[in-house]
Amino acid sequence: NFDGGDCDDFNKKGYGIDCKPYNTTTLGDGVCDVWLQGNTPECNFDGGDCIEFNAQYPDCKTMYPSSLNNGDCDTWELHNTEACGFDGGDCLDL
């Protein structure tokens, strides 16, 4: 036990050996955190949090998926694009 037990909970969840998120506590917390490096098959797409986002916007390269379809048109370079559904629909009426 090289970490004094700090990683026991993470290891019990069955993530792959190549799952190396920036912060393990964000995996499976209900928020798709693509910017924390957990949106990978090895990390079960942020502990399952990014599965719906990936299915709906497979080519969207935003770092903040929770900002899509939140009622505000974010005209950021990566949000207001066809791949991101024009900010999840927030920018369609412009």
Side-chain angles (χ1 to χ4, degrees), residues 34-84:
V34 298
W35 60 279
L36 293 174
Q37 302 168 343
N39 189 17
T40 64
E42 296 80 14
C43 293
N44 189 28
F45 304 103
D46 193 30
D49 295 336
C50 293
I51 292 173
E52 184 177 328
F53 167 75
N54 292 338
Q56 191 167 6
Y57 306 106
D59 297 318
C60 182
K61 304 299 182 205
T62 183
M63 299 299 282
Y64 305 100
S66 61
S67 294
L68 298 177
N69 195 24
N70 66 354
D72 295 314
C73 175
D74 301 307
T75 57
W76 308 336
E77 181 179 330
L78 297 176
H79 275 217
N80 191 17
T81 64
E82 185 174 356
C84 293

Side-chain angles (χ1 to χ4, degrees), residues 22-40:
Y22 179 74
N23 183 345
T24 61
T25 63
T26 64
L27 297 174
D29 67 349
V31 177
C32 177
D33 304 295
V34 298
W35 60 279
L36 293 174
Q37 302 168 343
N39 189 17
T40 64

